[in-house]
Amino acid sequence: MRSLIDILDLSVEEIDALIVTACDIIANPDKYAECCKRKKLATLFFEPSTRTRLSFEAAMLELGGSVIGFSSANSSSAAKGESVADTAKVISCYADIIAMRHPKEGAALVAAQNAEIPVINAGDGGHCHPTQTLADLLTVYREKGRFSNLTVGLCGDLKFGRTVHSLINAMSRYDNVKFVLISPEELKLPSYVKNAALKGKGIEYVQTTDLEAAMPGLDILYMTRIQQERFADIDEYLRLKDSYILTPEKLASAKPDMCILHPLPRVNEISVKVDADPRACYFKQVLNGKFMRMALILKLLEEAKR
Ligand code: CP
Protein backbone atom coordinates (compact mmCIF):
# COMPACT_ATOMS: atom_id res chain seq x y z
CA MET A 1 0.00 0.00 0.00
CA ARG A 2 1.51 3.31 -1.09
CA SER A 3 1.67 5.98 1.63
CA LEU A 4 3.48 9.31 1.91
CA ILE A 5 5.64 9.55 5.00
CA ASP A 6 8.67 11.50 3.76
CA ILE A 7 8.89 13.81 0.74
CA LEU A 8 11.65 11.53 -0.57
CA ASP A 9 9.00 8.79 -0.96
CA LEU A 10 8.05 10.73 -4.11
CA SER A 11 10.42 10.86 -7.07
CA VAL A 12 11.10 14.18 -8.83
CA GLU A 13 8.98 12.88 -11.72
CA GLU A 14 6.08 12.11 -9.38
CA ILE A 15 6.28 15.61 -7.89
CA ASP A 16 6.25 17.07 -11.40
CA ALA A 17 3.13 15.01 -12.15
CA LEU A 18 1.42 16.20 -8.94
CA ILE A 19 2.15 19.80 -9.95
CA VAL A 20 0.65 19.17 -13.40
CA THR A 21 -2.48 17.71 -11.76
CA ALA A 22 -2.71 20.59 -9.25
CA CYS A 23 -2.45 23.15 -12.05
CA ASP A 24 -5.19 21.32 -13.97
CA ILE A 25 -7.40 21.31 -10.85
CA ILE A 26 -6.86 25.09 -10.55
CA ALA A 27 -7.82 25.58 -14.21
CA ASN A 28 -10.68 23.04 -14.35
CA PRO A 29 -12.14 22.49 -10.86
CA ASP A 30 -15.45 21.07 -12.16
CA LYS A 31 -13.61 18.20 -13.86
CA TYR A 32 -12.57 16.92 -10.42
CA ALA A 33 -15.78 17.62 -8.47
CA GLU A 34 -16.88 13.97 -8.30
CA CYS A 35 -13.57 12.10 -8.54
CA CYS A 36 -13.77 10.87 -4.92
CA LYS A 37 -17.51 10.23 -4.70
CA ARG A 38 -18.20 7.66 -1.93
CA LYS A 39 -14.58 7.85 -0.72
CA LYS A 40 -13.78 8.87 2.85
CA LEU A 41 -10.74 10.69 4.20
CA ALA A 42 -9.96 10.24 7.90
CA THR A 43 -8.09 13.16 9.47
CA LEU A 44 -6.36 11.89 12.62
CA PHE A 45 -4.83 14.92 14.31
CA PHE A 46 -3.13 14.19 17.62
CA GLU A 47 -1.58 17.68 17.53
CA PRO A 48 -3.14 21.11 16.78
CA SER A 49 -3.54 22.29 13.19
CA THR A 50 -5.50 24.86 11.23
CA ARG A 51 -4.15 24.73 7.67
CA THR A 52 -3.15 21.13 7.23
CA ARG A 53 -6.29 19.53 8.67
CA LEU A 54 -8.74 21.96 7.11
CA SER A 55 -7.00 21.97 3.73
CA PHE A 56 -7.09 18.16 3.65
CA GLU A 57 -10.78 18.29 4.51
CA ALA A 58 -11.50 21.01 1.94
CA ALA A 59 -9.47 19.03 -0.62
CA MET A 60 -11.53 15.86 -0.10
CA LEU A 61 -14.85 17.76 -0.13
CA GLU A 62 -13.88 19.51 -3.39
CA LEU A 63 -13.16 16.08 -4.88
CA GLY A 64 -16.69 14.97 -3.99
CA GLY A 65 -15.64 12.75 -1.08
CA SER A 66 -16.41 12.99 2.60
CA VAL A 67 -14.42 13.36 5.78
CA ILE A 68 -14.34 11.78 9.25
CA GLY A 69 -11.81 12.24 12.02
CA PHE A 70 -10.70 13.97 15.17
CA SER A 71 -8.76 17.14 15.84
CA SER A 72 -7.06 16.34 19.15
CA ALA A 73 -5.63 13.31 20.93
CA ASN A 74 -7.97 14.01 23.84
CA SER A 75 -11.06 13.45 21.73
CA SER A 76 -9.83 10.04 20.53
CA SER A 77 -9.16 6.75 22.33
CA ALA A 78 -5.46 7.70 22.40
CA ALA A 79 -6.51 9.40 25.66
CA LYS A 80 -7.36 5.91 26.98
CA GLY A 81 -4.00 4.53 25.87
CA GLU A 82 -4.80 3.12 22.40
CA SER A 83 -1.68 2.74 20.26
CA VAL A 84 -1.11 4.40 16.89
CA ALA A 85 -0.85 0.92 15.34
CA ASP A 86 -4.29 -0.11 16.65
CA THR A 87 -5.80 3.23 15.69
CA ALA A 88 -4.54 2.76 12.11
CA LYS A 89 -6.04 -0.75 11.93
CA VAL A 90 -9.39 0.50 13.26
CA ILE A 91 -9.61 3.50 10.92
CA SER A 92 -8.86 1.19 7.98
CA CYS A 93 -12.33 -0.31 8.63
CA TYR A 94 -14.03 3.07 8.20
CA ALA A 95 -12.10 5.15 5.65
CA ASP A 96 -10.25 4.93 2.32
CA ILE A 97 -7.28 7.15 3.16
CA ILE A 98 -5.75 8.68 6.30
CA ALA A 99 -4.06 12.04 6.90
CA MET A 100 -2.35 11.92 10.29
CA ARG A 101 -0.48 14.43 12.45
CA HIS A 102 1.27 13.29 15.61
CA PRO A 103 3.77 14.89 18.01
CA LYS A 104 6.10 11.86 17.88
CA GLU A 105 8.67 11.40 15.12
CA GLY A 106 7.97 8.16 13.27
CA ALA A 107 4.30 7.89 14.28
CA ALA A 108 3.06 8.21 10.68
CA LEU A 109 5.38 5.39 9.61
CA VAL A 110 3.97 3.14 12.35
CA ALA A 111 0.46 4.00 11.16
CA ALA A 112 1.37 3.18 7.55
CA GLN A 113 2.90 -0.16 8.57
CA ASN A 114 -0.36 -1.16 10.25
CA ALA A 115 -3.06 0.42 8.08
CA GLU A 116 -4.82 -1.30 5.18
CA ILE A 117 -5.24 2.06 3.42
CA PRO A 118 -2.82 4.83 2.35
CA VAL A 119 -1.47 7.04 5.14
CA ILE A 120 -0.33 10.61 4.55
CA ASN A 121 2.04 12.11 7.10
CA ALA A 122 0.58 15.50 8.02
CA GLY A 123 3.54 16.22 10.33
CA ASP A 124 5.36 13.94 12.79
CA GLY A 125 7.04 15.86 15.60
CA GLY A 126 10.16 17.70 14.46
CA HIS A 127 10.78 15.18 11.66
CA CYS A 128 8.87 15.67 8.37
CA HIS A 129 5.91 17.52 6.86
CA PRO A 130 5.82 16.33 3.25
CA THR A 131 2.49 17.88 2.21
CA GLN A 132 3.66 21.29 3.42
CA THR A 133 6.60 20.77 1.08
CA LEU A 134 4.19 20.01 -1.77
CA ALA A 135 2.48 23.35 -1.00
CA ASP A 136 5.88 25.07 -0.92
CA LEU A 137 6.95 23.53 -4.22
CA LEU A 138 3.77 24.51 -6.07
CA THR A 139 4.23 28.06 -4.77
CA VAL A 140 7.86 28.17 -5.94
CA TYR A 141 6.79 26.78 -9.32
CA ARG A 142 3.97 29.31 -9.76
CA GLU A 143 6.06 32.26 -8.56
CA LYS A 144 9.49 31.48 -10.04
CA GLY A 145 8.63 29.05 -12.86
CA ARG A 146 11.49 26.71 -11.95
CA PHE A 147 13.13 24.71 -9.16
CA SER A 148 16.71 24.94 -10.43
CA ASN A 149 19.23 27.80 -10.23
CA LEU A 150 17.81 29.22 -7.02
CA THR A 151 19.37 30.44 -3.77
CA VAL A 152 17.05 29.45 -0.94
CA GLY A 153 17.37 31.07 2.49
CA LEU A 154 15.77 29.26 5.41
CA CYS A 155 15.44 31.34 8.55
CA GLY A 156 14.43 30.65 12.15
CA ASP A 157 14.04 27.28 13.81
CA LEU A 158 16.01 24.96 11.55
CA LYS A 159 16.48 22.39 14.34
CA PHE A 160 12.87 21.43 15.08
CA GLY A 161 11.38 22.85 11.85
CA ARG A 162 9.98 19.79 10.09
CA THR A 163 8.86 21.91 7.12
CA VAL A 164 12.47 23.05 6.67
CA HIS A 165 13.81 19.48 6.76
CA SER A 166 11.33 18.31 4.13
CA LEU A 167 11.91 21.34 1.88
CA ILE A 168 15.70 20.94 1.95
CA ASN A 169 15.34 17.25 1.11
CA ALA A 170 13.05 18.10 -1.81
CA MET A 171 14.90 21.07 -3.29
CA SER A 172 18.36 19.56 -2.97
CA ARG A 173 17.35 17.20 -5.80
CA TYR A 174 17.24 20.03 -8.36
CA ASP A 175 20.20 21.51 -10.28
CA ASN A 176 22.23 24.38 -8.89
CA VAL A 177 20.14 25.05 -5.79
CA LYS A 178 22.13 26.74 -3.02
CA PHE A 179 21.01 26.99 0.59
CA VAL A 180 21.61 29.74 3.15
CA LEU A 181 20.80 28.39 6.61
CA ILE A 182 19.99 31.32 8.91
CA SER A 183 19.38 30.49 12.57
CA PRO A 184 20.55 31.10 16.11
CA GLU A 185 23.42 28.76 17.09
CA GLU A 186 20.99 26.80 19.31
CA LEU A 187 18.57 26.08 16.43
CA LYS A 188 20.93 25.03 13.64
CA LEU A 189 19.93 22.39 11.10
CA PRO A 190 20.41 18.89 12.61
CA SER A 191 23.44 16.98 11.34
CA TYR A 192 21.30 14.11 10.11
CA VAL A 193 19.52 16.42 7.63
CA LYS A 194 22.70 18.30 6.69
CA ASN A 195 24.73 15.16 6.11
CA ALA A 196 22.10 13.34 4.04
CA ALA A 197 20.67 16.20 1.99
CA LEU A 198 23.58 18.61 1.61
CA LYS A 199 27.07 17.36 2.53
CA GLY A 200 26.48 13.87 1.17
CA LYS A 201 25.44 15.26 -2.22
CA GLY A 202 27.99 18.07 -2.45
CA ILE A 203 25.27 20.76 -2.38
CA GLU A 204 26.49 24.31 -1.76
CA TYR A 205 25.33 25.80 1.55
CA VAL A 206 26.33 28.38 4.13
CA GLN A 207 25.31 28.68 7.78
CA THR A 208 24.90 32.11 9.33
CA THR A 209 23.10 33.93 12.13
CA ASP A 210 22.81 37.14 10.06
CA LEU A 211 19.56 37.47 8.05
CA GLU A 212 20.27 41.00 6.83
CA ALA A 213 23.69 40.09 5.44
CA ALA A 214 22.20 37.10 3.59
CA MET A 215 19.17 38.98 2.20
CA PRO A 216 20.58 40.44 -1.09
CA GLY A 217 21.60 37.02 -2.44
CA LEU A 218 18.30 35.21 -1.91
CA ASP A 219 15.72 34.18 -4.53
CA ILE A 220 13.51 32.61 -1.86
CA LEU A 221 13.30 33.46 1.84
CA TYR A 222 11.55 30.76 3.88
CA MET A 223 10.75 32.18 7.32
CA THR A 224 9.77 29.87 10.16
CA ARG A 225 8.32 30.21 13.64
CA ILE A 226 10.41 29.52 16.75
CA GLN A 227 8.18 26.72 18.08
CA GLN A 228 7.46 27.02 21.78
CA GLU A 229 5.97 23.52 21.88
CA ARG A 230 9.32 21.92 20.94
CA PHE A 231 11.32 23.49 23.81
CA ALA A 232 11.89 21.64 27.10
CA ASP A 233 13.20 24.87 28.68
CA ILE A 234 10.78 27.84 28.50
CA ASP A 235 13.57 30.31 29.35
CA GLU A 236 15.49 29.22 26.27
CA TYR A 237 12.35 29.72 24.16
CA LEU A 238 11.83 33.22 25.61
CA ARG A 239 15.46 34.11 24.86
CA LEU A 240 15.26 32.90 21.24
CA LYS A 241 11.67 33.60 20.20
CA ASP A 242 12.27 37.00 18.58
CA SER A 243 15.64 36.15 17.00
CA TYR A 244 14.35 37.17 13.56
CA ILE A 245 11.56 39.60 12.71
CA LEU A 246 11.13 40.37 9.01
CA THR A 247 10.10 43.99 8.41
CA PRO A 248 9.74 46.20 5.29
CA GLU A 249 13.00 47.92 6.29
CA LYS A 250 14.92 44.63 6.30
CA LEU A 251 13.50 43.82 2.86
CA ALA A 252 15.01 46.98 1.35
CA SER A 253 18.13 45.08 0.26
CA ALA A 254 16.23 42.02 -1.08
CA LYS A 255 15.86 41.22 -4.78
CA PRO A 256 12.73 42.79 -6.30
CA ASP A 257 11.45 39.33 -7.27
CA MET A 258 12.45 37.47 -4.10
CA CYS A 259 9.68 35.15 -2.95
CA ILE A 260 8.84 35.23 0.80
CA LEU A 261 7.41 31.97 2.10
CA HIS A 262 6.30 30.82 5.55
CA PRO A 263 4.46 27.58 6.35
CA LEU A 264 2.41 29.50 8.97
CA PRO A 265 1.23 29.95 11.65
CA ARG A 266 3.38 33.02 12.23
CA VAL A 267 3.73 34.58 15.63
CA ASN A 268 6.05 37.56 15.40
CA GLU A 269 8.65 36.59 12.79
CA ILE A 270 7.03 38.46 9.87
CA SER A 271 5.61 41.89 10.56
CA VAL A 272 2.04 42.25 9.25
CA LYS A 273 3.39 45.30 7.37
CA VAL A 274 5.16 42.84 5.03
CA ASP A 275 1.83 41.31 3.95
CA ALA A 276 1.19 44.09 1.44
CA ASP A 277 4.57 43.52 -0.25
CA PRO A 278 4.08 41.75 -3.62
CA ARG A 279 6.93 39.41 -2.64
CA ALA A 280 4.89 38.03 0.28
CA CYS A 281 3.58 34.67 -0.96
CA TYR A 282 2.63 32.92 2.30
CA PHE A 283 -1.13 33.20 1.88
CA LYS A 284 -0.87 31.99 -1.72
CA GLN A 285 1.11 29.07 -0.26
CA VAL A 286 -1.90 28.17 1.92
CA LEU A 287 -4.18 27.93 -1.12
CA ASN A 288 -1.60 26.00 -3.12
CA GLY A 289 -1.51 23.47 -0.27
CA LYS A 290 -5.14 22.57 -0.86
CA PHE A 291 -4.56 21.95 -4.59
CA MET A 292 -1.51 19.77 -3.98
CA ARG A 293 -3.36 17.78 -1.32
CA MET A 294 -6.17 17.21 -3.84
CA ALA A 295 -3.64 15.95 -6.37
CA LEU A 296 -2.02 13.70 -3.76
CA ILE A 297 -5.32 12.19 -2.58
CA LEU A 298 -6.19 11.39 -6.21
CA LYS A 299 -2.80 9.76 -6.80
CA LEU A 300 -2.79 7.60 -3.66
CA LEU A 301 -6.40 6.45 -4.08
CA GLU A 302 -5.70 5.57 -7.72
CA GLU A 303 -2.61 3.55 -6.74
CA ALA A 304 -4.55 1.81 -3.95
CA LYS A 305 -6.96 0.37 -6.55
CA ARG A 306 -4.15 -1.52 -8.29
N1 CP B 1 1.70 24.80 8.08
C1 CP B 1 1.02 24.05 8.97
O1 CP B 1 1.31 22.86 9.13
O2 CP B 1 0.02 24.70 9.62
P1 CP B 1 -0.95 24.04 10.67
O3 CP B 1 -0.12 23.67 11.87
O4 CP B 1 -2.00 25.06 10.97
O5 CP B 1 -1.52 22.79 10.05
Side-chain angles (χ1 to χ4, degrees):
M1 183 62 58
R2 185 89 191 268
S3 287
L4 177 65
I5 306 303
D6 187 305
I7 194 67
L8 296 177
D9 295 342
L10 294 168
S11 67
V12 168
E13 293 73 25
E14 286 177 309
I15 288 176
D16 287 348
L18 287 172
I19 286 175
V20 169
T21 304
C23 290
D24 196 48
I25 291 169
I26 293 166
N28 306 292
D30 291 349
K31 193 170 127 187
Y32 294 88
E34 299 205 359
C35 284
C36 288
K37 210 171 165 184
R38 286 196 277 278
K39 296 289 182 192
K40 276 176 275 173
L41 166 73
T43 51
L44 314 183
F45 277 62
F46 297 86
E47 197 185 59
S49 168
T50 294
R51 273 147 296 275
T52 312
R53 185 171 67 84
L54 295 179
S55 70
F56 264 115
E57 295 189 358
M60 192 52 158
L61 294 174
E62 289 186 28
L63 291 168
S66 48
V67 178
I68 58 173
F70 51 82
S71 58
S72 75
N74 285 341
S75 61
S76 78
S77 284
K80 301 177 215 163
E82 187 164 51
S83 67
V84 165
D86 281 1
T87 303
K89 286 179 185 153
V90 168
I91 301 301
S92 300
C93 302
Y94 305 143
D96 301 285
I97 187 164
I98 291 171
M100 186 178 110
R101 172 171 289 186
H102 199 284
K104 284 197 182 143
E105 287 83 356
L109 179 60
V110 171
Q113 287 166 339
N114 287 278
E116 303 288 330
I117 57 179
V119 174
I120 302 171
N121 182 6
D124 61 332
H127 183 220
C128 289
H129 194 349
T131 65
Q132 178 62 49
T133 305
L134 294 177
D136 303 341
L137 291 174
L138 181 58
T139 311
V140 171
Y141 177 76
R142 295 182 82 191
E143 299 302 316
K144 307 298 289 182
R146 65 186 194 279
F147 295 123
S148 52
N149 305 313
L150 292 169
T151 299
V152 181
L154 300 120
C155 178
D157 176 3
L158 308 191
K159 179 179 178 185
F160 300 113
R162 59 193 176 198
T163 62
V164 166
H165 306 165
S166 291
L167 186 61
I168 290 174
N169 277 323
M171 292 213 60
S172 63
R173 295 192 289 186
Y174 296 97
D175 289 339
N176 193 30
V177 174
K178 296 172 191 154
F179 294 93
V180 184
L181 308 174
I182 308 153
S183 74
E185 286 296 328
E186 295 85 345
L187 297 176
K188 281 161 82 172
L189 191 70
S191 301
Y192 80 91
V193 181
K194 199 161 46 187
N195 290 340
L198 302 177
K199 279 187 180 170
K201 295 199 263 177
I203 309 277
E204 203 177 312
Y205 72 93
V206 289
Q207 290 185 288
T208 178
T209 56
D210 192 341
L211 171 60
E212 282 160 277
M215 192 74 81
L218 304 180
D219 298 302
I220 293 167
L221 173 59
Y222 195 92
M223 295 295 295
T224 62
R225 176 174 64 95
I226 309 285
Q227 304 172 91
Q228 182 176 355
E229 64 273 28
R230 308 280 178 230
F231 281 80
D233 177 357
I234 186 69
D235 290 333
E236 186 170 48
Y237 167 71
L238 293 173
R239 189 167 54 78
L240 296 174
K241 72 184 175 73
D242 289 330
S243 297
Y244 302 100
I245 300 176
L246 188 64
T247 60
E249 295 71 34
K250 288 184 189 157
L251 282 168
S253 64
K255 291 183 183 176
D257 63 346
M258 187 182 77
C259 179
I260 307 166
L261 301 179
H262 190 310
L264 304 180
R266 77 172 145 189
V267 181
N268 206 25
E269 58 280 0
I270 301 182
S271 160
V272 292
K273 290 185 194 151
V274 173
D275 296 358
D277 191 304
R279 294 170 288 192
C281 296
Y282 29 92
F283 290 111
K284 293 181 189 172
Q285 207 176 341
V286 173
L287 184 59
N288 288 330
K290 183 187 69 173
F291 296 125
M292 283 303 261
R293 290 179 177 112
M294 289 172 81
L296 179 66
I297 289 169
L298 286 173
K299 174 180 172 63
L300 294 181
L301 286 178
E302 188 56 39
E303 292 189 22
K305 279 190 211 159
R306 291 178 203 153

